[in-house]
Each structure stands twice: as structure tokens, then as C-alpha cells.
Amino acid sequence: MVEAQSWTTRRGSNPRLESPQDQVLDMPVTPTAEIRQQQYSNGGITSLVSPNVLTALIIASWYCSNIGVLLLNKYLLSFYGYRYPIFLTMLHMLSCATYSLVAIKWLEVVPFQQIHSRKQFFKILALSAIFCFSVVCGNTSLRYLPVSFNQAIGATTPFFTAIFAFVITCKKETAEVYLALVPVVLGIVLASNSEPLFHLFGFLMALGSTAGRALKSVVQGLLLSSDAEKLHSMNLLLYMAPMAAMILLPFTLYIEGNVAVVTVEKAKGDGFMVFLLIGNATVAYLVNLTNFLVTKHTSALTLQVLGNAKAAVAAVVSVLIFRNPVNIMGITGFAATVMGVVLYSEAKKRSKVTAH
């Protein structure tokens, strides 16, 4: 018989128990795929569904929130008779501020970041002003334009981004990138000329919203470029939303009058309006939350691809719901614009690879 070796004489190998009374030692092992998935889920919602299903649900939520806020805005401003786009935008900002505070401070969705300097504060304030302009113009345009045409105009964001990047930062793109913008512009020109419900003021508001969105992305990259001043998107929303609400307050009082009192009076006799306003403001926050979740569970590139398809999906859904007239020329122009955006994204990707 070979005498059993004790743990002290066999260091570096698995211990052989000398008797049932010996203490069992927990030895770390390489986790299997199932164990890693359990660690990933950590007892939350991911413990009930697989990561792939969770990602699909998040993407579906992203589509529902992005398209839902457009449809609710259109319904409120055009069909329901609530003609106060500035006040509605202010409600969106107050909602985003409240929900962001809950998500970051209490639920700890992301780590809380503080503003470290007065200079950083004023940079965020400048971004908030551009953000206000973009959202108010977008909501105002929905009073006069169909959602489908509004989305066609919004798809031209890369065109304005390229212009502002060149004017502000002197950044030049490759010839391929600029050529990809040609169908973007031609498509929206074709769609505008053939739009049955074209409205000049609404068109200008939609262009202003698109340009403001592009300007914000360029200015944000310029102002918050240092590591010390960079903020997570959820923290940036936490600071921008209340600033935007304060900026909008004097404008809604001056342009839209005593809108708060009017809203309260209407709400007393119409409980459905309260439901619409609260639901609309909540969905407006979910747009930002799902943007973050999609990026977290996939990538920024996936979010960009989803954004390219979102305009087309929103246009189709809005036509099915609101029954606004469309024609072949308008559809062709919209398709050309979306295709140009896709080509632009691919050209930008190739130019980055070449630069590296």
C-alpha cells in the first residue's frame, strides 16, 4: 500500500482527503460559459432571459421609444389641439431631469459625475441652449409637417455635421465621404418638391432642428474634449435637462402666454390629456435611456445603423397611423436620402480605418 500524502506534502496539487472529517477546501476554477452567464446576470432581469434576448428587447425598446415620442408629439400638437411646442419641450426637459436624478442617484445606473469648474458649467450651458433650439424646432415642425417628411429632413443630419465640422474645426473629410452626401441632399430636394403637405415654416423648423442636432454633436466634441471634462451621456443629460428647462421658461411665457394655467384648466376637464402629457414626457426620457442601453449592450456603430433605419420605420408607421398622403416621387426622394446616409456611414468608417 502506498501511503496517502497529506496536503502539506503535496503542495501544488489537489488535496487528497485522509478522512471524511477533513476540511474541504474551495479551489478556484476556470468558470464555464454557463457560470459566466450567471455572473453576468447577477440576479437581475438578465437571470430570466439570455443576453441575446435581452439585447433584442433593448433594441425593440429603442425603436418603440424613438418612434413613440414622434407619434405622441404629432398627435398632441396636430390632432389633439395642444399647440404649445415650447411648453411641451420644457415638460420633456423636466421629465429628463427628474428621471435622470432617480436613475443615477438612487438606481446607480451609471456612476455620478460632478461638474468640476465654472468653465465646464458654461460649456454645458452652451450645449443646453443648442439642445433647446434643436428640440423646440423639431416639435414645432410636427405641427405643420407629417412625421414621414419630418424624418426625411432629419435624415440629412450628416450633411450639416460635415458642414459644421469643416467651418468650426476645419476638419476635412475624404472625397468619398463628400460624394456620399450628394444623394442625401438630392433626395430631400426631391422629397420636398413632391410633398403633398409641404409647409414652408414647418420645413424651416425641421431644417433648424436637424442643423441644431448636428451643431450640438460637433460643439460637444469640441467643448468637452479633455478627459477631465468628459461626462457620461446620462450625466450630461442630468445637467443639460434642468438648464434647458430654465432657458425655455421665459420663451414659453412670452410666446405661448399663461400656458401652465391653460394646461391645468384643460386637465381638470380632460384626464386623458394628463395621461398623454405624462406618457409623452416619460417616453422622451426613455429615448435617452435606451440610447445608452443600446450602446452598452451592443456598440456605438450598432446605434448608428439602427438610427439609419429608424427614419424609414418611423415614416412607414406614421403613414399607417395618420394616413397622410404620399407619392412615388416623395418615397423615391426619401429612399435616396436614407441610402446616402448609409453610404456616408460606410465612407466614414473606411476613412477612419485608412487614417489608422
Side-chain angles (χ1 to χ4, degrees), residues 79-121:
F79 294 91
Y80 198 74
Y82 192 80
R83 305 185 183 280
Y84 307 107
I86 302 177
F87 185 73
L88 183 64
T89 305
M90 191 177 76
L91 290 181
H92 288 181
M93 296 301 106
L94 293 174
S95 169
C96 288
T98 303
Y99 284 122
S100 295
L101 186 64
V102 172
I104 296 175
K105 282 289 201 177
W106 294 347
L107 300 181
E108 298 182 348
V109 174
V110 296
F112 174 67
Q113 295 174 287
Q114 291 183 330
I115 296 177
H116 297 292
S117 65
R118 182 178 299 180
K119 182 180 179 181
Q120 186 184 18
F121 172 84

mmCIF file of all heavy atoms in Angstrom, residues 79-121:
data_model
loop_
_atom_site.group_PDB
_atom_site.id
_atom_site.type_symbol
_atom_site.label_atom_id
_atom_site.label_comp_id
_atom_site.label_asym_id
_atom_site.label_seq_id
_atom_site.Cartn_x
_atom_site.Cartn_y
_atom_site.Cartn_z
ATOM 1 N N PHE A 79 -53.250 66.904 -33.802
ATOM 2 C CA PHE A 79 -54.582 66.305 -33.790
ATOM 3 C C PHE A 79 -55.342 66.567 -32.493
ATOM 4 O O PHE A 79 -56.560 66.728 -32.508
ATOM 5 C CB PHE A 79 -54.480 64.789 -34.030
ATOM 6 C CG PHE A 79 -53.972 64.431 -35.401
ATOM 7 C CD1 PHE A 79 -52.616 64.252 -35.624
ATOM 8 C CD2 PHE A 79 -54.843 64.292 -36.467
ATOM 9 C CE1 PHE A 79 -52.139 63.928 -36.879
ATOM 10 C CE2 PHE A 79 -54.379 63.970 -37.734
ATOM 11 C CZ PHE A 79 -53.024 63.793 -37.947
ATOM 12 N N TYR A 80 -54.625 66.610 -31.374
ATOM 13 C CA TYR A 80 -55.293 66.784 -30.096
ATOM 14 C C TYR A 80 -55.556 68.254 -29.776
ATOM 15 O O TYR A 80 -56.353 68.576 -28.909
ATOM 16 C CB TYR A 80 -54.449 66.150 -28.988
ATOM 17 C CG TYR A 80 -55.218 65.883 -27.719
ATOM 18 C CD1 TYR A 80 -56.127 64.837 -27.649
ATOM 19 C CD2 TYR A 80 -55.031 66.683 -26.608
ATOM 20 C CE1 TYR A 80 -56.836 64.591 -26.486
ATOM 21 C CE2 TYR A 80 -55.735 66.446 -25.437
ATOM 22 C CZ TYR A 80 -56.641 65.394 -25.385
ATOM 23 O OH TYR A 80 -57.343 65.154 -24.236
ATOM 24 N N GLY A 81 -54.873 69.131 -30.472
ATOM 25 C CA GLY A 81 -55.099 70.557 -30.272
ATOM 26 C C GLY A 81 -54.242 71.198 -29.202
ATOM 27 O O GLY A 81 -54.499 72.349 -28.808
ATOM 28 N N TYR A 82 -53.222 70.498 -28.720
ATOM 29 C CA TYR A 82 -52.335 71.085 -27.712
ATOM 30 C C TYR A 82 -51.198 71.798 -28.439
ATOM 31 O O TYR A 82 -50.145 71.225 -28.696
ATOM 32 C CB TYR A 82 -51.785 69.987 -26.791
ATOM 33 C CG TYR A 82 -51.092 70.521 -25.562
ATOM 34 C CD1 TYR A 82 -51.824 70.948 -24.463
ATOM 35 C CD2 TYR A 82 -49.708 70.608 -25.510
ATOM 36 C CE1 TYR A 82 -51.187 71.438 -23.333
ATOM 37 C CE2 TYR A 82 -49.066 71.098 -24.391
ATOM 38 C CZ TYR A 82 -49.817 71.518 -23.311
ATOM 39 O OH TYR A 82 -49.185 72.017 -22.192
ATOM 40 N N ARG A 83 -51.402 73.054 -28.757
ATOM 41 C CA ARG A 83 -50.496 73.781 -29.653
ATOM 42 C C ARG A 83 -49.462 74.601 -28.881
ATOM 43 O O ARG A 83 -49.350 75.824 -29.051
ATOM 44 C CB ARG A 83 -51.308 74.673 -30.593
ATOM 45 C CG ARG A 83 -52.364 73.890 -31.368
ATOM 46 C CD ARG A 83 -53.089 74.740 -32.387
ATOM 47 N NE ARG A 83 -54.141 73.988 -33.062
ATOM 48 C CZ ARG A 83 -53.945 73.132 -34.058
ATOM 49 N NH1 ARG A 83 -52.724 72.922 -34.487
ATOM 50 N NH2 ARG A 83 -54.949 72.486 -34.606
ATOM 51 N N TYR A 84 -48.720 73.938 -28.007
ATOM 52 C CA TYR A 84 -47.707 74.623 -27.204
ATOM 53 C C TYR A 84 -46.391 73.844 -27.274
ATOM 54 O O TYR A 84 -45.986 73.182 -26.299
ATOM 55 C CB TYR A 84 -48.164 74.763 -25.748
ATOM 56 C CG TYR A 84 -49.525 75.394 -25.597
ATOM 57 C CD1 TYR A 84 -50.629 74.628 -25.230
ATOM 58 C CD2 TYR A 84 -49.705 76.752 -25.846
ATOM 59 C CE1 TYR A 84 -51.885 75.201 -25.086
ATOM 60 C CE2 TYR A 84 -50.964 77.337 -25.717
ATOM 61 C CZ TYR A 84 -52.053 76.556 -25.340
ATOM 62 O OH TYR A 84 -53.293 77.123 -25.216
ATOM 63 N N PRO A 85 -45.696 73.899 -28.396
ATOM 64 C CA PRO A 85 -44.482 73.079 -28.548
ATOM 65 C C PRO A 85 -43.358 73.456 -27.593
ATOM 66 O O PRO A 85 -42.590 72.583 -27.167
ATOM 67 C CB PRO A 85 -44.077 73.322 -30.006
ATOM 68 C CG PRO A 85 -44.712 74.621 -30.391
ATOM 69 C CD PRO A 85 -45.995 74.672 -29.620
ATOM 70 N N ILE A 86 -43.247 74.749 -27.221
ATOM 71 C CA ILE A 86 -42.165 75.149 -26.317
ATOM 72 C C ILE A 86 -42.423 74.612 -24.913
ATOM 73 O O ILE A 86 -41.527 74.060 -24.260
ATOM 74 C CB ILE A 86 -42.001 76.678 -26.297
ATOM 75 C CG1 ILE A 86 -41.725 77.209 -27.705
ATOM 76 C CG2 ILE A 86 -40.876 77.089 -25.358
ATOM 77 C CD1 ILE A 86 -41.615 78.720 -27.785
ATOM 78 N N PHE A 87 -43.665 74.764 -24.466
ATOM 79 C CA PHE A 87 -44.011 74.239 -23.133
ATOM 80 C C PHE A 87 -43.905 72.722 -23.107
ATOM 81 O O PHE A 87 -43.443 72.145 -22.108
ATOM 82 C CB PHE A 87 -45.433 74.669 -22.758
ATOM 83 C CG PHE A 87 -45.834 74.282 -21.362
ATOM 84 C CD1 PHE A 87 -45.303 74.945 -20.269
ATOM 85 C CD2 PHE A 87 -46.735 73.247 -21.152
ATOM 86 C CE1 PHE A 87 -45.664 74.587 -18.974
ATOM 87 C CE2 PHE A 87 -47.104 72.885 -19.861
ATOM 88 C CZ PHE A 87 -46.565 73.555 -18.774
ATOM 89 N N LEU A 88 -44.293 72.068 -24.182
ATOM 90 C CA LEU A 88 -44.171 70.616 -24.261
ATOM 91 C C LEU A 88 -42.703 70.192 -24.175
ATOM 92 O O LEU A 88 -42.366 69.222 -23.487
ATOM 93 C CB LEU A 88 -44.786 70.105 -25.563
ATOM 94 C CG LEU A 88 -44.808 68.586 -25.754
ATOM 95 C CD1 LEU A 88 -45.679 67.923 -24.698
ATOM 96 C CD2 LEU A 88 -45.292 68.228 -27.156
ATOM 97 N N THR A 89 -41.828 70.927 -24.846
ATOM 98 C CA THR A 89 -40.393 70.637 -24.767
ATOM 99 C C THR A 89 -39.872 70.856 -23.360
ATOM 100 O O THR A 89 -39.034 70.083 -22.868
ATOM 101 C CB THR A 89 -39.619 71.524 -25.756
ATOM 102 O OG1 THR A 89 -40.149 71.355 -27.070
ATOM 103 C CG2 THR A 89 -38.140 71.173 -25.761
ATOM 104 N N MET A 90 -40.373 71.890 -22.680
ATOM 105 C CA MET A 90 -39.952 72.139 -21.299
ATOM 106 C C MET A 90 -40.386 70.991 -20.388
ATOM 107 O O MET A 90 -39.639 70.587 -19.485
ATOM 108 C CB MET A 90 -40.529 73.456 -20.792
ATOM 109 C CG MET A 90 -39.916 73.914 -19.464
ATOM 110 S SD MET A 90 -40.525 75.509 -18.901
ATOM 111 C CE MET A 90 -42.140 75.017 -18.286
ATOM 112 N N LEU A 91 -41.581 70.450 -20.624
ATOM 113 C CA LEU A 91 -42.019 69.276 -19.860
ATOM 114 C C LEU A 91 -41.087 68.089 -20.107
ATOM 115 O O LEU A 91 -40.776 67.332 -19.182
ATOM 116 C CB LEU A 91 -43.452 68.907 -20.240
ATOM 117 C CG LEU A 91 -44.564 69.858 -19.791
ATOM 118 C CD1 LEU A 91 -45.924 69.329 -20.242
ATOM 119 C CD2 LEU A 91 -44.543 70.053 -18.287
ATOM 120 N N HIS A 92 -40.642 67.939 -21.361
ATOM 121 C CA HIS A 92 -39.680 66.881 -21.679
ATOM 122 C C HIS A 92 -38.394 67.064 -20.877
ATOM 123 O O HIS A 92 -37.843 66.093 -20.332
ATOM 124 C CB HIS A 92 -39.345 66.902 -23.168
ATOM 125 C CG HIS A 92 -40.451 66.429 -24.046
ATOM 126 N ND1 HIS A 92 -40.346 66.356 -25.422
ATOM 127 C CD2 HIS A 92 -41.704 66.006 -23.769
ATOM 128 C CE1 HIS A 92 -41.470 65.909 -25.930
ATOM 129 N NE2 HIS A 92 -42.316 65.702 -24.946
ATOM 130 N N MET A 93 -37.919 68.292 -20.800
ATOM 131 C CA MET A 93 -36.667 68.557 -20.085
ATOM 132 C C MET A 93 -36.820 68.303 -18.580
ATOM 133 O O MET A 93 -35.933 67.721 -17.942
ATOM 134 C CB MET A 93 -36.224 70.010 -20.314
ATOM 135 C CG MET A 93 -35.889 70.359 -21.758
ATOM 136 S SD MET A 93 -34.575 69.359 -22.470
ATOM 137 C CE MET A 93 -35.527 68.295 -23.558
ATOM 138 N N LEU A 94 -37.940 68.724 -18.009
ATOM 139 C CA LEU A 94 -38.182 68.475 -16.586
ATOM 140 C C LEU A 94 -38.287 66.978 -16.305
ATOM 141 O O LEU A 94 -37.795 66.483 -15.287
ATOM 142 C CB LEU A 94 -39.461 69.193 -16.139
ATOM 143 C CG LEU A 94 -39.406 70.724 -16.140
ATOM 144 C CD1 LEU A 94 -40.780 71.310 -15.827
ATOM 145 C CD2 LEU A 94 -38.382 71.224 -15.129
ATOM 146 N N SER A 95 -38.922 66.263 -17.225
ATOM 147 C CA SER A 95 -39.026 64.813 -17.090
ATOM 148 C C SER A 95 -37.648 64.160 -17.147
ATOM 149 O O SER A 95 -37.320 63.299 -16.317
ATOM 150 C CB SER A 95 -39.918 64.248 -18.202
ATOM 151 O OG SER A 95 -39.850 62.840 -18.253
ATOM 152 N N CYS A 96 -36.824 64.579 -18.101
ATOM 153 C CA CYS A 96 -35.478 64.018 -18.230
ATOM 154 C C CYS A 96 -34.636 64.313 -16.997
ATOM 155 O O CYS A 96 -33.858 63.458 -16.537
ATOM 156 C CB CYS A 96 -34.791 64.571 -19.480
ATOM 157 S SG CYS A 96 -35.447 63.926 -21.034
ATOM 158 N N ALA A 97 -34.782 65.521 -16.438
ATOM 159 C CA ALA A 97 -34.033 65.873 -15.232
ATOM 160 C C ALA A 97 -34.438 64.998 -14.056
ATOM 161 O O ALA A 97 -33.594 64.489 -13.305
ATOM 162 C CB ALA A 97 -34.250 67.350 -14.901
ATOM 163 N N THR A 98 -35.754 64.796 -13.891
ATOM 164 C CA THR A 98 -36.262 64.002 -12.758
ATOM 165 C C THR A 98 -35.859 62.541 -12.884
ATOM 166 O O THR A 98 -35.322 61.938 -11.938
ATOM 167 C CB THR A 98 -37.793 64.112 -12.679
ATOM 168 O OG1 THR A 98 -38.169 65.495 -12.566
ATOM 169 C CG2 THR A 98 -38.324 63.339 -11.480
ATOM 170 N N TYR A 99 -36.116 61.964 -14.047
ATOM 171 C CA TYR A 99 -35.797 60.550 -14.243
ATOM 172 C C TYR A 99 -34.281 60.304 -14.193
ATOM 173 O O TYR A 99 -33.827 59.256 -13.716
ATOM 174 C CB TYR A 99 -36.363 60.051 -15.570
ATOM 175 C CG TYR A 99 -37.857 59.808 -15.548
ATOM 176 C CD1 TYR A 99 -38.706 60.469 -16.432
ATOM 177 C CD2 TYR A 99 -38.414 58.902 -14.663
ATOM 178 C CE1 TYR A 99 -40.070 60.243 -16.420
ATOM 179 C CE2 TYR A 99 -39.777 58.673 -14.637
ATOM 180 C CZ TYR A 99 -40.611 59.345 -15.527
ATOM 181 O OH TYR A 99 -41.966 59.112 -15.507
ATOM 182 N N SER A 100 -33.491 61.258 -14.702
ATOM 183 C CA SER A 100 -32.038 61.108 -14.660
ATOM 184 C C SER A 100 -31.532 61.107 -13.225
ATOM 185 O O SER A 100 -30.626 60.340 -12.868
ATOM 186 C CB SER A 100 -31.364 62.236 -15.446
ATOM 187 O OG SER A 100 -31.672 62.163 -16.812
ATOM 188 N N LEU A 101 -32.105 61.964 -12.408
ATOM 189 C CA LEU A 101 -31.720 62.030 -10.994
ATOM 190 C C LEU A 101 -32.013 60.703 -10.294
ATOM 191 O O LEU A 101 -31.187 60.184 -9.539
ATOM 192 C CB LEU A 101 -32.462 63.167 -10.304
ATOM 193 C CG LEU A 101 -32.068 63.470 -8.852
ATOM 194 C CD1 LEU A 101 -30.625 63.933 -8.777
ATOM 195 C CD2 LEU A 101 -32.998 64.515 -8.253
ATOM 196 N N VAL A 102 -33.189 60.145 -10.574
ATOM 197 C CA VAL A 102 -33.564 58.857 -9.973
ATOM 198 C C VAL A 102 -32.633 57.743 -10.470
ATOM 199 O O VAL A 102 -32.146 56.928 -9.681
ATOM 200 C CB VAL A 102 -35.034 58.524 -10.305
ATOM 201 C CG1 VAL A 102 -35.369 57.099 -9.856
ATOM 202 C CG2 VAL A 102 -35.970 59.517 -9.645
ATOM 203 N N ALA A 103 -32.376 57.728 -11.785
ATOM 204 C CA ALA A 103 -31.565 56.656 -12.377
ATOM 205 C C ALA A 103 -30.123 56.679 -11.890
ATOM 206 O O ALA A 103 -29.527 55.626 -11.664
ATOM 207 C CB ALA A 103 -31.610 56.760 -13.900
ATOM 208 N N ILE A 104 -29.572 57.884 -11.724
ATOM 209 C CA ILE A 104 -28.147 57.987 -11.368
ATOM 210 C C ILE A 104 -27.931 57.996 -9.856
ATOM 211 O O ILE A 104 -27.057 57.288 -9.340
ATOM 212 C CB ILE A 104 -27.536 59.255 -12.013
ATOM 213 C CG1 ILE A 104 -27.564 59.133 -13.539
ATOM 214 C CG2 ILE A 104 -26.111 59.477 -11.524
ATOM 215 C CD1 ILE A 104 -27.091 60.365 -14.261
ATOM 216 N N LYS A 105 -28.721 58.786 -9.142
ATOM 217 C CA LYS A 105 -28.509 58.935 -7.700
ATOM 218 C C LYS A 105 -29.036 57.746 -6.899
ATOM 219 O O LYS A 105 -28.407 57.312 -5.928
ATOM 220 C CB LYS A 105 -29.183 60.228 -7.215
ATOM 221 C CG LYS A 105 -28.397 61.490 -7.521
ATOM 222 C CD LYS A 105 -27.148 61.562 -6.648
ATOM 223 C CE LYS A 105 -26.619 62.979 -6.547
ATOM 224 N NZ LYS A 105 -25.449 63.059 -5.651
ATOM 225 N N TRP A 106 -30.202 57.221 -7.284
ATOM 226 C CA TRP A 106 -30.824 56.162 -6.494
ATOM 227 C C TRP A 106 -30.593 54.781 -7.083
ATOM 228 O O TRP A 106 -30.192 53.869 -6.382
ATOM 229 C CB TRP A 106 -32.325 56.438 -6.339
ATOM 230 C CG TRP A 106 -32.605 57.666 -5.526
ATOM 231 C CD1 TRP A 106 -31.728 58.353 -4.753
ATOM 232 C CD2 TRP A 106 -33.864 58.355 -5.419
ATOM 233 N NE1 TRP A 106 -32.336 59.433 -4.160
ATOM 234 C CE2 TRP A 106 -33.649 59.462 -4.548
ATOM 235 C CE3 TRP A 106 -35.129 58.163 -5.943
ATOM 236 C CZ2 TRP A 106 -34.671 60.345 -4.216
ATOM 237 C CZ3 TRP A 106 -36.152 59.047 -5.617
ATOM 238 C CH2 TRP A 106 -35.916 60.124 -4.761
ATOM 239 N N LEU A 107 -30.855 54.640 -8.383
ATOM 240 C CA LEU A 107 -30.699 53.324 -9.008
ATOM 241 C C LEU A 107 -29.257 53.036 -9.405
ATOM 242 O O LEU A 107 -28.916 51.888 -9.675
ATOM 243 C CB LEU A 107 -31.612 53.217 -10.243
ATOM 244 C CG LEU A 107 -33.106 53.390 -9.981
ATOM 245 C CD1 LEU A 107 -33.887 53.243 -11.289
ATOM 246 C CD2 LEU A 107 -33.610 52.379 -8.958
ATOM 247 N N GLU A 108 -28.431 54.093 -9.454
ATOM 248 C CA GLU A 108 -27.000 53.959 -9.791
ATOM 249 C C GLU A 108 -26.792 53.223 -11.119
ATOM 250 O O GLU A 108 -25.991 52.296 -11.219
ATOM 251 C CB GLU A 108 -26.250 53.249 -8.656
ATOM 252 C CG GLU A 108 -26.301 54.017 -7.348
ATOM 253 C CD GLU A 108 -25.524 53.330 -6.235
ATOM 254 O OE1 GLU A 108 -25.153 52.155 -6.429
ATOM 255 O OE2 GLU A 108 -25.299 53.959 -5.183
ATOM 256 N N VAL A 109 -27.544 53.659 -12.130
ATOM 257 C CA VAL A 109 -27.398 53.082 -13.464
ATOM 258 C C VAL A 109 -25.988 53.325 -13.988
ATOM 259 O O VAL A 109 -25.379 52.438 -14.601
ATOM 260 C CB VAL A 109 -28.454 53.675 -14.424
ATOM 261 C CG1 VAL A 109 -28.232 53.197 -15.852
ATOM 262 C CG2 VAL A 109 -29.859 53.294 -13.962
ATOM 263 N N VAL A 110 -25.475 54.519 -13.757
ATOM 264 C CA VAL A 110 -24.090 54.862 -14.072
ATOM 265 C C VAL A 110 -23.516 55.640 -12.895
ATOM 266 O O VAL A 110 -24.267 56.225 -12.106
ATOM 267 C CB VAL A 110 -23.981 55.725 -15.361
ATOM 268 C CG1 VAL A 110 -24.455 54.939 -16.576
ATOM 269 C CG2 VAL A 110 -24.764 57.023 -15.222
ATOM 270 N N PRO A 111 -22.201 55.671 -12.726
ATOM 271 C CA PRO A 111 -21.601 56.458 -11.635
ATOM 272 C C PRO A 111 -21.891 57.945 -11.793
ATOM 273 O O PRO A 111 -21.875 58.475 -12.905
ATOM 274 C CB PRO A 111 -20.099 56.163 -11.768
ATOM 275 C CG PRO A 111 -20.016 54.885 -12.538
ATOM 276 C CD PRO A 111 -21.195 54.891 -13.464
ATOM 277 N N PHE A 112 -22.151 58.604 -10.682
ATOM 278 C CA PHE A 112 -22.436 60.042 -10.695
ATOM 279 C C PHE A 112 -21.146 60.833 -10.923
ATOM 280 O O PHE A 112 -20.114 60.550 -10.314
ATOM 281 C CB PHE A 112 -23.086 60.454 -9.376
ATOM 282 C CG PHE A 112 -23.288 61.930 -9.235
ATOM 283 C CD1 PHE A 112 -24.188 62.608 -10.035
ATOM 284 C CD2 PHE A 112 -22.554 62.647 -8.300
ATOM 285 C CE1 PHE A 112 -24.375 63.978 -9.900
ATOM 286 C CE2 PHE A 112 -22.734 64.017 -8.150
ATOM 287 C CZ PHE A 112 -23.652 64.677 -8.965
ATOM 288 N N GLN A 113 -21.200 61.815 -11.823
ATOM 289 C CA GLN A 113 -20.067 62.697 -12.096
ATOM 290 C C GLN A 113 -20.452 64.138 -11.764
ATOM 291 O O GLN A 113 -21.559 64.582 -12.103
ATOM 292 C CB GLN A 113 -19.647 62.609 -13.571
ATOM 293 C CG GLN A 113 -19.099 61.254 -13.989
ATOM 294 C CD GLN A 113 -18.855 61.191 -15.476
ATOM 295 O OE1 GLN A 113 -19.791 61.111 -16.269
ATOM 296 N NE2 GLN A 113 -17.589 61.235 -15.884
ATOM 297 N N GLN A 114 -19.545 64.855 -11.154
ATOM 298 C CA GLN A 114 -19.797 66.237 -10.776
ATOM 299 C C GLN A 114 -19.164 67.192 -11.777
ATOM 300 O O GLN A 114 -18.202 66.849 -12.475
ATOM 301 C CB GLN A 114 -19.242 66.522 -9.384
ATOM 302 C CG GLN A 114 -19.985 65.817 -8.263
ATOM 303 C CD GLN A 114 -19.437 66.190 -6.896
ATOM 304 O OE1 GLN A 114 -18.253 66.494 -6.760
ATOM 305 N NE2 GLN A 114 -20.293 66.170 -5.882
ATOM 306 N N ILE A 115 -19.714 68.409 -11.817
ATOM 307 C CA ILE A 115 -19.100 69.484 -12.597
ATOM 308 C C ILE A 115 -17.959 70.058 -11.763
ATOM 309 O O ILE A 115 -18.145 70.438 -10.605
ATOM 310 C CB ILE A 115 -20.129 70.579 -12.936
ATOM 311 C CG1 ILE A 115 -21.232 70.004 -13.828
ATOM 312 C CG2 ILE A 115 -19.454 71.758 -13.628
ATOM 313 C CD1 ILE A 115 -22.327 71.005 -14.163
ATOM 314 N N HIS A 116 -16.765 70.135 -12.337
ATOM 315 C CA HIS A 116 -15.572 70.477 -11.563
ATOM 316 C C HIS A 116 -15.155 71.940 -11.669
ATOM 317 O O HIS A 116 -14.312 72.389 -10.899
ATOM 318 C CB HIS A 116 -14.398 69.592 -12.000
ATOM 319 C CG HIS A 116 -14.622 68.139 -11.742
ATOM 320 N ND1 HIS A 116 -14.693 67.593 -10.475
ATOM 321 C CD2 HIS A 116 -14.816 67.093 -12.595
ATOM 322 C CE1 HIS A 116 -14.900 66.295 -10.549
ATOM 323 N NE2 HIS A 116 -14.978 65.959 -11.821
ATOM 324 N N SER A 117 -15.706 72.683 -12.615
ATOM 325 C CA SER A 117 -15.270 74.066 -12.777
ATOM 326 C C SER A 117 -16.383 74.913 -13.365
ATOM 327 O O SER A 117 -17.341 74.397 -13.958
ATOM 328 C CB SER A 117 -14.030 74.135 -13.682
ATOM 329 O OG SER A 117 -14.353 73.712 -14.999
ATOM 330 N N ARG A 118 -16.245 76.208 -13.190
ATOM 331 C CA ARG A 118 -17.207 77.135 -13.774
ATOM 332 C C ARG A 118 -17.137 77.089 -15.300
ATOM 333 O O ARG A 118 -18.154 77.203 -15.981
ATOM 334 C CB ARG A 118 -16.910 78.561 -13.272
ATOM 335 C CG ARG A 118 -17.882 79.603 -13.787
ATOM 336 C CD ARG A 118 -17.572 80.975 -13.216
ATOM 337 N NE ARG A 118 -17.671 81.002 -11.763
ATOM 338 C CZ ARG A 118 -17.443 82.067 -11.025
ATOM 339 N NH1 ARG A 118 -17.049 83.209 -11.603
ATOM 340 N NH2 ARG A 118 -17.564 82.030 -9.713
ATOM 341 N N LYS A 119 -15.930 76.893 -15.818
ATOM 342 C CA LYS A 119 -15.747 76.791 -17.270
ATOM 343 C C LYS A 119 -16.520 75.610 -17.829
ATOM 344 O O LYS A 119 -17.197 75.725 -18.865
ATOM 345 C CB LYS A 119 -14.258 76.663 -17.583
ATOM 346 C CG LYS A 119 -13.932 76.586 -19.060
ATOM 347 C CD LYS A 119 -12.427 76.451 -19.267
ATOM 348 C CE LYS A 119 -12.082 76.335 -20.754
ATOM 349 N NZ LYS A 119 -10.608 76.171 -20.956
ATOM 350 N N GLN A 120 -16.454 74.477 -17.157
ATOM 351 C CA GLN A 120 -17.192 73.298 -17.601
ATOM 352 C C GLN A 120 -18.700 73.543 -17.519
ATOM 353 O O GLN A 120 -19.460 73.112 -18.397
ATOM 354 C CB GLN A 120 -16.816 72.092 -16.741
ATOM 355 C CG GLN A 120 -17.417 70.779 -17.222
ATOM 356 C CD GLN A 120 -17.084 69.627 -16.283
ATOM 357 O OE1 GLN A 120 -16.696 69.839 -15.137
ATOM 358 N NE2 GLN A 120 -17.235 68.400 -16.768
ATOM 359 N N PHE A 121 -19.139 74.249 -16.474
ATOM 360 C CA PHE A 121 -20.560 74.577 -16.323
ATOM 361 C C PHE A 121 -21.071 75.381 -17.515
ATOM 362 O O PHE A 121 -22.136 75.081 -18.075
ATOM 363 C CB PHE A 121 -20.775 75.349 -15.016
ATOM 364 C CG PHE A 121 -22.166 75.902 -14.867
ATOM 365 C CD1 PHE A 121 -23.193 75.108 -14.378
ATOM 366 C CD2 PHE A 121 -22.438 77.226 -15.221
ATOM 367 C CE1 PHE A 121 -24.479 75.630 -14.236
ATOM 368 C CE2 PHE A 121 -23.719 77.738 -15.086
ATOM 369 C CZ PHE A 121 -24.737 76.946 -14.585
#
